[in-house]
Amino acid sequence: MSDPPDIGKSFNICLRRGPKQILGMTIGGGAPLFPCIYVVQVFPTGLVAENGTIEPGDEITHVDGLSVVGKDRRSVARLIKKAEGEVRLAGVKLYYHVIDGITMDIMMNDFKHRVLDSISDMTAERMGLTRAVLVNDDFVERFALLEKNEYACRQLSTLIHDVLKSFQELCSANRQIADVFDELASVDPGAACRRRGMMIAEAHRRMNKTGLQCIQEATPMVSQMQTFLKKAMPDARETIEKYLQVKYIFLAFCLKVQILDEEEARFVASGRHLGRLASGNREYRIALRCLMLCKRRFANNRTSVMEKLHLLDNKRLQDVQHQLCTFVGAMHHHLRQSASIVGGISMPSPEELKSLSPS
């Protein structure tokens, strides 16, 4: 959160309201408990939000040129509601620094929500802790599922790497067998046996060649999977972590505003004096402003996470499908070619092999 450039300055705006248009804000404070009228909430749809000048925590001093200082909240609300056509609002922007809002109770509430997010519902209930609605969001669950898929992808990558390594060893064995039969055929004990040996050597050279082609086609799969595992997943993990930080602070301010509301209601009901009310309720107004800023950041981060997880999940699914099809296709092509090569020759009998052995 960053401080807005116009904090502490006065404002004077004119809003043109049509027959069915609303200003889109709620107010609080006012006599007899509060020395001023301030904005509690600005709704996303409304003239106030569209104008963008007034924010939660700002003080309203005049409505259509009439001073509302010292008036009660209901009379000011009626004054604003009955205004037609052009509605003029004047007041003072809330002066604050972000550090004023990040107090010890906010940090404790942040920690509380992190703890709640890491334990089960049953454990939370036994500890007497109430979960906030937004703590159990589906993004974290979706990312947990994505991490399970990451583990499966890592296992698949290791498996494919081991298979390709075995294929490399098989190709090397075929090449060595071809060399052996070339050497045996060079002894030249007879034309028929020599031809047989040369055919077998050529068959193993061809199988070595098709095996190397299979490895060449399938090798990019491993690098593509490593890109997903070493780049895409860490980036998504970092995005989720940023999202959680914003979410926990947002929930912490939600809880603080609720606590301050309940505290105010208790003091008003008992008739006791609450110091922050007589001094303009500054702590509450700062909490409202910080809540608004955190809510905006939370919504932006949530949209970003939603898009990234959706793209990442779809890309992973498409990549795995494509990679498996490529791998199976390369293996199938190699096996068919190997079967065709082997089927084209007749293997020598033990007696023929013995006759091929060098003396």
Side-chain angles (χ1 to χ4, degrees):
M1 293 180 296
S2 60
D3 294 338
D6 55 352
I7 52 177
K9 296 182 179 180
S10 61
F11 62 86
N12 193 328
I13 62 173
C14 181
L15 305 174
R16 291 177 173 81
R17 179 163 62 179
K20 295 183 179 180
Q21 287 183 303
I22 60 172
L23 294 183
M25 72 173 184
T26 58
I27 59 175
L33 299 176
F34 302 87
C36 64
I37 295 288
Y38 54 84
V39 178
V40 174
Q41 185 177 7
V42 175
F43 299 107
T45 56
L47 296 177
V48 173
E50 184 179 337
N51 179 270
T53 301
I54 298 178
E55 297 175 299
D58 290 343
E59 180 182 352
I60 302 294
T61 58
H62 293 80
V63 176
D64 284 341
L66 300 176
S67 174
V68 295
V69 177
K71 295 184 178 296
D72 65 280
R73 179 180 59 84
R74 292 185 179 181
S75 64
V76 175
R78 286 194 298 267
L79 184 63
I80 295 175
K81 186 176 181 179
K82 74 177 184 179
E84 298 179 355
E86 294 186 350
V87 182
R88 288 179 294 142
L89 299 175
V92 181
K93 299 291 293 182
L94 174 66
Y95 179 81
Y96 77 107
H97 292 284
V98 174
I99 194 64
D100 295 335
I102 308 298
T103 52
M104 180 59 71
D105 56 342
I106 290 296
M107 290 188 285
M108 292 302 297
N109 288 337
D110 178 10
F111 175 74
K112 173 186 175 182
H113 285 120
R114 289 179 182 272
V115 172
L116 281 172
D117 212 6
S118 63
I119 62 179
S120 65
D121 292 334
M122 182 178 296
T123 303
E125 184 178 349
R126 289 177 177 176
M127 293 175 65
L129 300 174
T130 304
R131 287 178 180 267
V133 176
L134 290 175
V135 169
N136 295 321
D137 63 57
D138 59 339
F139 288 165
V140 178
E141 295 178 3
R142 284 177 59 186
F143 187 72
L145 178 61
L146 199 61
E147 285 185 318
K148 292 181 180 179
N149 293 335
E150 176 193 14
Y151 175 77
C153 188
R154 196 178 298 278
Q155 295 295 103
L156 180 61
S157 176
T158 302
L159 176 62
I160 293 175
H161 179 270
D162 292 344
V163 170
L164 293 180
K165 184 178 179 181
S166 300
F167 252 65
Q168 184 75 44
E169 295 173 354
L170 179 60
C171 290
S172 177
N174 280 327
R175 186 179 65 253
Q176 293 173 8
I177 292 173
D179 293 340
V180 169
F181 272 95
D182 277 335
E183 182 181 353
L184 292 175
S186 66
V187 178
D188 192 19
C193 290
R194 185 178 64 180
R195 286 195 300 271
R196 182 74 62 83
M198 293 177 64
M199 289 176 60
I200 295 173
E202 178 62 22
H204 281 85
R205 274 193 291 269
R206 291 172 61 189
M207 285 191 290
N208 173 57
K209 182 179 179 180
T210 59
L212 291 176
Q213 290 176 344
C214 175
I215 293 174
Q216 187 176 6
E217 292 178 11
T219 297
M221 293 177 52
V222 178
S223 62
Q224 291 174 4
M225 287 186 175
Q226 290 301 315
T227 299
F228 169 77
L229 295 171
K230 294 182 178 181
K231 292 184 178 180
M233 280 302 296
D235 180 59
R237 189 173 286 108
E238 182 180 356
T239 302
I240 285 288
E241 181 58 31
K242 290 180 180 177
Y243 163 75
L244 291 177
Q245 291 176 0
V246 173
K247 184 185 78 169
Y248 292 135
I249 292 293
F250 171 55
L251 292 175
F253 276 110
C254 287
L255 185 57
K256 178 166 184 174
V257 170
Q258 179 183 350
I259 291 174
L260 293 177
D261 281 334
E262 293 173 352
E263 179 188 45
E264 178 183 328
R266 288 197 306 270
F267 272 78
V268 171
S270 63
R272 291 181 293 168
H273 174 72
L274 185 58
R276 65 177 172 86
L277 302 185
S279 61
N281 211 3
R282 177 175 171 78
E283 181 184 0
Y284 181 70
R285 291 162 61 192
I286 290 177
L288 289 175
R289 176 64 61 83
C290 292
L291 176 61
M292 181 271 293
L293 295 174
C294 288
K295 183 177 181 180
R296 189 178 298 166
R297 287 187 61 198
F298 174 73
N300 292 337
N301 276 266
R302 188 172 177 83
T303 302
S304 175
V305 170
M306 184 187 304
E307 294 173 352
K308 184 160 291 189
L309 286 183
H310 180 71
L311 291 174
L312 185 63
D313 197 47
N314 286 347
K315 187 177 186 302
R316 182 201 59 81
L317 181 61
Q318 293 171 1
D319 285 350
V320 170
Q321 289 175 340
H322 174 71
Q323 290 159 2
L324 286 178
C325 287
T326 301
F327 179 70
V328 173
M331 291 282 293
H332 181 257
H333 181 67
H334 168 69
L335 293 175
R336 286 190 63 180
Q337 283 191 315
S338 297
S340 175
I341 293 170
V342 173
I345 61 172
S346 57
M347 299 300 294
S349 64
E351 290 77 13
E352 291 176 318
L353 286 173
K354 185 176 180 180
S355 66
L356 281 170
S357 301
S359 56

